[in-house]
Amino acid sequence: MSSALARRRSTRAFRPDPVDPVLLETILKKALQAPSNSNVQPWHVWLVTGARLASLRAATAARSTVPPQFDEREYSVYPDPLEEPYAGRRFQCGERQYAALGIAREDHDGRLRYVYNNHQAFGAPAAMFLCIDRAAGPSQWADLGIYLQSVMLLLTEAEIDSCAQISWTAFHSIVRRELAIPDNLMLYCGLSIGYAVPDAPVNAVIADRADAADILHILND
């Protein structure tokens, strides 16, 4: 699993080749062994492929306009303002993707079109959507991330690529309608799943990791 952790990347250009649906279901079931506080297991999961994913893509494409027609977010993705060093890390991550695609900083429409590609699952043949009960608290949100990480590592272990996408929450009403998600659940994120286009420039972008000395506080005395 340590090898999968080192190899995992956020893939943003996928081949259309389908992934074995039995294998995907097996992976999502294996990830249910992820730990959660007091074994609450707060995750609710939808896996979408085929005609249902095509319908979801068509519905989001109809709303992918300039200016955008985003839904009001159901939760705050970032604090306002996002302070350093977090703001700088976020900025560099985005700028590297735009640079790889040749999208200039002043090309606002071009950048928006790239954002909208999130809602096409970057061309992936499968997408997972992760939801949580509206009554859940911070501990359950942390548990959700543990499940998501478990899924991504198991996918990597199986040589399947993925990309977690908070961006789907900009069209949460469409996702809810297309997948018949109950009102008591809130969309946390999507996860595009498939096989990477090997020579796509955006797939060569690797986000920096902070220096361990800035993160780890090891006290031995």
Side-chain angles (χ1 to χ4, degrees):
M1 191 59 78
S2 61
S3 172
L5 184 62
R7 290 186 290 114
R8 189 211 63 80
R9 296 287 183 270
S10 292
T11 295
R12 294 182 173 89
F14 289 86
R15 307 197 310 267
D17 313 47
V19 182
D20 180 357
V22 175
L23 176 57
L24 285 183
E25 184 176 348
T26 298
I27 286 172
L28 298 190
K29 287 180 176 178
K30 280 185 178 180
L32 294 174
Q33 295 300 314
S36 60
N37 184 37
S38 297
N39 199 37
V40 168
Q41 304 174 69
W43 36 75
H44 296 263
V45 184
W46 275 257
L47 179 64
V48 188
T49 61
R52 184 62 65 94
L53 181 55
S55 178
L56 180 59
R57 283 188 168 115
T60 56
R63 287 263 302 274
S64 299
T65 59
V66 180
Q69 301 180 51
F70 291 142
D71 292 333
E72 182 177 352
R73 301 272 189 177
E74 294 194 288
Y75 68 89
S76 297
V77 177
Y78 304 106
D80 185 15
L82 182 62
E83 304 286 357
E84 295 297 345
Y86 317 111
R89 294 171 186 165
R90 177 176 180 262
F91 176 80
Q92 288 299 326
C93 180
E95 288 302 299
R96 287 188 176 186
Q97 294 172 50
Y98 294 130
L101 293 164
I103 303 174
R105 184 177 299 182
E106 62 274 12
D107 184 3
H108 301 296
D109 289 357
R111 290 188 171 211
L112 183 58
R113 284 191 293 272
Y114 173 62
V115 169
Y116 282 146
N117 200 28
N118 274 275
H119 315 121
Q120 297 298 303
F122 294 121
M128 183 190 87
F129 293 90
L130 190 56
C131 297
I132 191 167
D133 197 286
R134 293 181 184 278
S139 177
Q140 289 76 58
W141 284 78
D143 295 339
L144 212 62
I146 296 171
Y147 177 80
L148 179 63
Q149 174 81 328
S150 299
V151 170
M152 290 190 290
L153 292 180
L154 288 167
L155 288 169
T156 301
E157 196 173 58
E159 304 297 331
I160 301 170
D161 302 297
S162 65
C163 183
Q165 299 158 272
I166 295 289
S167 184
W168 276 103
T169 61
F171 287 145
H172 61 82
S173 65
I174 293 176
V175 177
R176 178 179 305 283
R177 184 189 72 219
E178 291 291 321
L179 308 189
I181 296 172
D183 289 342
N184 67 300
L185 300 181
M186 182 187 306
L187 176 65
Y188 170 62
C189 74
L191 181 74
S192 293
I193 301 170
Y195 300 105
V197 176
D199 56 352
V202 73
N203 285 342
V205 174
I206 299 176
D208 289 337
R209 290 295 181 261
D211 193 305
D214 296 331
I215 303 294
L216 303 180
H217 306 276
I218 301 173
L219 309 178
N220 292 320
D221 53 352

